[in-house]
Every structure is written in C-alpha cells, then in structure tokens.
Amino acid sequence: MTYIIEGSTGPWEIVVGLEVHCQVVSNSKLFSGASTKFGNDANSNVSLVDAAMPGMLPVINAECVRQAVKTGLGLKAQINKESVFSRKNYFYADLPQGYQISQFDKPIVGKGTIILDMPDGTTKSVGIERLHLEQDAGKSMHDQDPKYSHIDLNRSGVALMEIVSDPDIRHPEEAGAYLTKLRAIVRYLGTCDGNMNEGSMRCDANVSVRRPGEPFGTRCEIKNVNSIRFVMQAIEIEAKRQVEVLESGGEIIQQTRLFDQRLGETRAMRSKEMAHDYRYFPDPDLLPLVFDDAFIAEIEKTLPELPDEKKARFINENGLSAYDAGVLVAEKEKADYYEIVAKGRDGKLAANWVITNLFGALNKAEVGIAESPVTAENLGKLIDLISNDTISGRIAKDVFEIMIETGGDPEKIVEEKGLKQITDTGAIETAIDEVIAANPDKVQEIRDGKDRMLGWFVGQVMKSTGGKANPGMVNKMLRDKILG
C-alpha cells in the first residue's frame, strides 16, 4: 500500500519511520526506587536521584531490563547480551540532570520485525531498527500560573523503551496499523499498558516525501503525538506541506515539528538535532549491562501467546477468516472474551455473535469490552440455547437485547419471558392449518410452481406463534402439507 500525493508537477510518495516511547510497566523507576504510579500529586514520586541532587548515583532496575528483553523477544528481535548506557546532553527545565541517561550505539535490543494486518486483509512487514532503554524527563506545566511555568518531576526517571522502526511505512493507514499492532504486542506481554491518553505510549513520526523510486528526501520529525488517529492525520498533513514547499521551489529543512490537531497543521519547533549535537558518551556511573543466554531463556519461558500466533490458531482450530481472527486478537481482552465464549462451542458462530452483535452493541454504547454488561459466560449460554433448539436465532437476538440492558442470565430471561421455541409438532401443525385455511389462493400458487410463496407461509406461521416455532420444522411441515 503506497500513498501517492498527486502534485502539480507529478506524483510524490511518502516515507515514514516511527519512534515510539513505551513506558515500562514497573513499580519503580529505571535508576531509583521512586514510585511510577500515574495520577499522584505533583512531585510526590521523586527521589533524590530523580531530582539530580549532588552525589546521587543511579542503580539499574533489573525488572526494567527484564521487561525490555521480553519486549524484544515479542518483536522477534535480536537481543544484545551487552549494552551500554550513555548520557544524552541537552538543557531543558524539566531535565534536572542536564542530560538524559539513554542508549546510543549499543542498545539492549537490535533488529526485529512487526507484521501489520491491513484493513483489506493483506499483511506487510515493517522492520524494527532497535529498542533501547532510557529515562523519561519531567513535565513542564504552562497553565498553572499567569507568570511562571511549573515543573512536575513525577515522570522524571521513569523507564521508557524507545522502539524505532525502519523507514518502511508508505501510507498513513500503515502507520496506524503499526501502532495498533505494537500496542497489542506490548499489552499482551504486559511490558507497557499502551495508554496513549496517559502518555505511557507516545509517538514521534519521521516524515519525508520523494518521487517514486528516487532516494529518500529530507525528513521532519513530528514530536509527541498521543493518539493513533492524530499520528495518521499528522503524517498526511506534513507530507502535503512538504510537497507544496518542494513544488514551489523551496527546500525542506530537517527540523522538529509540532502537530496542532485543532488547526490541522504542523508547526516548526526547532531545527532537528543530529547525534553529535547531544555529545553522547558512556555514563561513567553505570557499568555496561551484561547478561547471559540463561537470563534470556528464563524470560522466554514467560512469553504468552502473542497476537500473530493466536490469530493463526483461531484460523486453524476454529475455522475463522483472517479478518475475523484479526479483529478478535487486536486487543488481548477481546481475544480472552472470545475464547471463553467459543470453548466447547462452534467457533464461527461464537465469533459472529462476539464481533457482530456484542462489539456492535458496545460501540453503540461507547464502552469497551471490560465494561460489557454481557459476560462471556452468559453469551456462551445464549449460543447453547440456539444450538440445542431451546430458542430460534431470531428470538436469541431479542434475548441478547435484554441481556445488554440488564446484564441478565439468558436461561432465566427465556424462562421468565416464556420464549422457549415450540418444537411440539401438534402445536406447529395447528398454526400451519390455520394459515393454510385462511389463504387457499396462495396455497394454489405454490402448487402451480411459485415456490417462493413458501417463505411467506413460513413468515405467517412464525408470526402467529410469536416467533417461537422452530423454523426448520415449520418449513418441512409446510412442504409436506402443501406439496404432499
């Protein structure tokens, strides 16, 4: 999938690489014992190390190392048994040390791959260049006082995994699919909660344009975009801006830009720094990070079934289409819900009820799977009631509506409302005889060869029984009575 911008001088292709900062799930920070809990009072999660008090030395958090390695394994990436922490030197008010401890030329994780599931059912591989560990900066707050900016250091020193993609993305939708898949992987692994609205997953998009087949153009980096939808919008808007500049005879300057979603534009923040501007050098307070194969093997044992493997299993074992399996595995909670519903039941029928009926109702109510009023166990019971002919598929939809409203047990709803399917041939035969007697002309039409009228009779019988007659039995008995 390639996104082509038709300019006045010909077509342009976009080239995108993404840098995603994922906050590591851990109780304490990367180099201190301070809490990482989100939402605490400003400056309440700050140790002397985080505040860069003189003489304070960093001590590596082993859990953060394990989480980074686990993420690397989940990305099918190379794990580097020796990596080095370096100081990235720059000044900002919310960076108390005057430098950020990061990793430069020796990251903890090397090259890997993410397989994207595109909306049209195709897949695409996007390379991972690296994953490195680094500490987060604090937060500058400019809306607390009319004259002064406030600094909150709660986030200072929190462990981040920066996951850098290769420039393999050629369409805003591919960028969206990449972020969706990456978020699913880290959530399955339990290494990052992926909550972009809380800032625990943030994206920088590197965007350039070129004539198809030509070398890469000069890129601009759009910083700190905090939703997948906004990343897709920012890429499209920035690419079109670059095309306009180039076609008017201008030159793209490598710079860092900010996306304003309200105005629908990107704005220059500063010229883009190069690596040498940060004067990286190995942190003298930290030894190289070294571990062995046994350390990696222990972590590998804890890996859960990841989205790609789960999708393949749903296709092979439950007979699902690639699209349906992809929808179900996109979020771990949805996949877990489906597995409970499908256990011991028809996998395709279960998927249809979960995707079409349940997800449709949840989307309408604007709630997630965790807030579903219908439990997986109760949806499974509803499917059982259809399978054992207690209720028809049409009645099941009515029962489901009641379940959405009340969260009730389908077996009790069917019992209390008297919705059990009529399978007594005597009762069905009586209803059929009444409909036939009232419509002799239509009976004759069927006998004259108009078979489609049979469906009309089925509808009339179902109507007279309040939809409770078994449709299969009605169809067969009507044929026997009319066509003999």
Side-chain angles (χ1 to χ4, degrees), residues 147-188:
K147 293 183 177 179
Y148 303 103
S149 290
H150 289 201
I151 303 294
D152 178 8
L153 295 180
N154 278 355
R155 215 166 62 185
S156 176
V158 167
L160 299 178
M161 298 178 289
E162 181 170 340
I163 301 168
V164 182
S165 84
D166 289 328
D168 293 341
I169 295 167
R170 296 289 179 273
H171 197 290
E173 277 196 11
E174 290 180 357
Y178 175 90
L179 291 169
T180 300
K181 188 61 167 287
L182 178 59
R183 184 171 63 179
I185 290 170
V186 295
R187 282 177 168 174
Y188 270 71

Side-chain angles (χ1 to χ4, degrees), residues 54 154 267 270 327 344 406:
N154 278 355
R267 294 197 302 273
R270 58 181 182 267
V327 169
T406 67

Side-chain angles (χ1 to χ4, degrees), residues 299-348:
I299 296 169
E300 200 160 12
K301 289 177 187 174
T302 69
L303 290 181
E305 184 180 41
L306 292 168
D308 287 342
E309 289 75 26
K310 196 178 285 288
K311 178 182 176 182
R313 179 166 62 82
F314 285 177
I315 292 169
N316 295 331
E317 294 182 6
N318 295 2
L320 302 190
S321 67
Y323 176 81
D324 284 353
V327 169
L328 291 168
V329 305
E331 294 179 25
K332 186 176 184 298
E333 293 79 6
K334 289 181 177 179
D336 292 344
Y337 186 103
Y338 167 72
E339 294 225 58
I340 295 169
V341 176
K343 189 173 182 181
R345 301 182 178 98
D346 182 319
K348 284 185 177 179

Side-chain angles (χ1 to χ4, degrees), residues 224-380:
N224 288 331
V225 190
N226 64 354
S227 92
I228 293 174
R229 183 166 58 90
F230 288 159
V231 170
M232 294 168 67
Q233 289 176 4
I235 289 169
E236 184 173 4
I237 288 166
E238 172 60 18
K240 287 179 177 176
R241 182 195 72 85
Q242 291 186 20
V243 168
E244 287 177 9
V245 169
L246 292 168
E247 292 201 326
S248 63
E251 181 183 352
I252 301 300
I253 300 167
Q254 185 166 320
Q255 59 187 190
T256 300
R257 299 182 69 84
L258 178 73
F259 175 57
D260 187 325
Q261 57 266 25
R262 188 174 55 85
L263 296 177
E265 65 181 22
T266 66
R267 294 197 302 273
M269 292 171 64
R270 58 181 182 267
S271 61
K272 174 66 180 166
E273 295 87 353
M274 306 299 285
H276 60 78
D277 294 322
Y278 291 115
R279 304 189 319 282
Y280 282 98
F281 62 87
D283 193 305
D285 293 332
L286 289 162
L287 291 169
L289 181 62
V290 179
F291 44 78
D292 57 16
D293 289 328
F295 180 80
I296 300 170
E298 281 301 311
I299 296 169
E300 200 160 12
K301 289 177 187 174
T302 69
L303 290 181
E305 184 180 41
L306 292 168
D308 287 342
E309 289 75 26
K310 196 178 285 288
K311 178 182 176 182
R313 179 166 62 82
F314 285 177
I315 292 169
N316 295 331
E317 294 182 6
N318 295 2
L320 302 190
S321 67
Y323 176 81
D324 284 353
V327 169
L328 291 168
V329 305
E331 294 179 25
K332 186 176 184 298
E333 293 79 6
K334 289 181 177 179
D336 292 344
Y337 186 103
Y338 167 72
E339 294 225 58
I340 295 169
V341 176
K343 189 173 182 181
R345 301 182 178 98
D346 182 319
K348 284 185 177 179
L349 182 61
N352 188 52
W353 272 94
V354 170
I355 295 171
T356 305
N357 300 82
L358 180 74
F359 291 174
L362 295 181
N363 288 340
K364 187 177 179 182
E366 297 183 343
V367 297
I369 192 78
E371 293 81 45
S372 172
V374 179
T375 66
E377 290 78 8
N378 278 344
L379 186 54

